[in-house]
Amino acid sequence: MDTQHYDDIIIGGGKAGKTLAPALVADGRKTALVERSLNMIGGGCINIACIPTKTMVVSANVANTVRNSAAYGVQSNTPTVNLAEVIQRKRSVVQSAREMKSVGVAVYFILGCGG
């Protein structure tokens, strides 16, 4: 087994861990993050609450602005919303928010721990 040495090991990839890990790397520290789920890096806000919801709301707001553009003196066709593309955009935004390797953080997943 290959032994790794780190300056800092963060347990939990929630909002605090997700924010702290890149800051430590930027400060020149070798940092690892331990999380139990690949799908929860960043915690509930990034993965199932704030970010996904707000991403979809922005798409709805854009459609609404286009739909009501005549009130601003802009003529346009009635928008068509492609829900599959809206959902794909949301997934892409969430995945980007989860990304840790590109900022130099080693991520380890521990299966079967915690609730």
Side-chain angles (χ1 to χ4, degrees):
M1 181 200 285
D2 187 28
T3 302
Q4 297 290 321
H5 297 276
Y6 293 95
D7 297 313
D8 302 287
I9 298 175
I10 298 170
I11 300 173
K15 180 63 180 137
K18 165 108 176 53
T19 303
L20 180 60
L24 291 169
V25 169
D27 197 35
R29 301 178 64 80
K30 186 173 179 185
T31 304
L33 179 98
V34 178
E35 175 56 63
R36 66 179 157 201
S37 171
L38 172 64
N39 297 323
M40 287 306 288
I41 296 287
C45 179
I46 287 176
N47 294 287
I48 57 176
C50 312
I51 302 300
T53 301
K54 289 176 182 176
T55 300
M56 293 181 78
V57 166
V58 166
S59 294
N61 286 340
V62 169
N64 186 57
T65 298
V66 172
R67 190 173 287 121
N68 295 298
S69 64
Y72 300 93
V74 176
Q75 302 303 316
S76 67
N77 296 328
T78 302
T80 302
V81 176
N82 182 326
L83 188 57
E85 288 182 17
V86 170
I87 291 170
Q88 183 54 45
R89 178 177 174 273
K90 177 213 43 140
R91 288 179 179 152
S92 176
V93 168
V94 168
Q95 184 58 40
S96 294
R98 283 185 194 142
E99 183 56 41
M100 298 296 286
K101 289 181 182 176
S102 66
V103 295
V105 177
V107 179
Y108 296 93
F109 297 100
I110 307 293
L111 300 176
C113 71

